[in-house]
Amino acid sequence: MFKKTEDKRLNINGEDYPYTLRRKRYAKYVRLTIEHDGALMVTAPVTYPVFLVKRFLLSRARWLVKNLTKVKNNPNIFSFKHSESQIKEYKKQTRTFVLDRLNYYNQYYNLEFKRVAIRNQKSRWGSCSSQKNLNFNYRLCLLPSDIAEYIIVHELCHLQEMNHSVKFWRLVEKTIPDYKFRQKRLKKI
Ligand SMILES: [Zn+2]
């Protein structure tokens, strides 16, 4: 559980780098991550002093500057900021598309699922829970539709195979014979 979030700034060679400090009750050490949108996130134990957090960050300054520049020069689909109303509209479009495609492909698979949720996920396109709920990223409607269909079938097949075994891929292949090609294109988005 996150106890507290603090906004901080780090100065590297005269340049200001804002970062968010999350105080995590059960954290054992300081962790540094760069989000998809280039935001800097630092997780630290509750009592860890700020000056030590800064010292840690400065010891990673070279790595930090290099990777932040990389993220900023190669924005991906997850780094675009959408307004509340855009997200609402995309969610609606994605939901219609997902339900339609699920119905279509499930004529073949005939699998049982419960809830279908469209979410604002930071890095995942979809997931399937052991309770047979399907989740999809609201950005799905922004993808080429054949790639979005591959994601939908992928999650649908997880209802039967909760893994990425040969059996799972055979199942996907039944309705998406060129899934490898679509997967390759998705990785570049
Ligand atoms: Zn999967």
Side-chain angles (χ1 to χ4, degrees), residues 154-155 158 163-164 168:
H154 182 121
E155 298 311 330
H158 273 321
N163 51 56
H164 293 120
F168 168 78

Side-chain angles (χ1 to χ4, degrees), residues 106-180:
N106 213 20
Q107 291 177 93
Y108 176 82
Y109 294 110
N110 213 6
L111 296 164
E112 229 180 282
F113 55 87
K114 289 184 190 146
R115 201 194 54 223
V116 177
I118 311 299
R119 296 177 191 279
N120 185 358
Q121 290 161 309
K122 282 266 167 86
S123 58
R124 299 178 88 179
W125 284 109
S127 59
C128 172
S129 75
S130 50
Q131 292 86 46
K132 300 196 179 300
N133 292 321
L134 298 172
N135 297 309
F136 294 97
N137 196 305
Y138 81 84
R139 297 169 180 84
L140 224 68
C141 66
L142 302 171
L143 292 175
S145 57
D146 66 317
I147 295 181
E149 282 194 349
Y150 155 69
I151 294 164
I152 293 164
V153 169
H154 182 121
E155 298 311 330
L156 186 61
C157 290
H158 273 321
L159 290 166
Q160 189 170 314
E161 295 287 333
M162 278 297 257
N163 51 56
H164 293 120
S165 61
V166 175
K167 259 168 104 184
F168 168 78
W169 292 114
R170 284 216 184 107
L171 211 58
V172 173
E173 201 172 25
K174 293 260 189 317
T175 59
I176 315 271
D178 67 339
Y179 75 88
K180 278 187 183 159

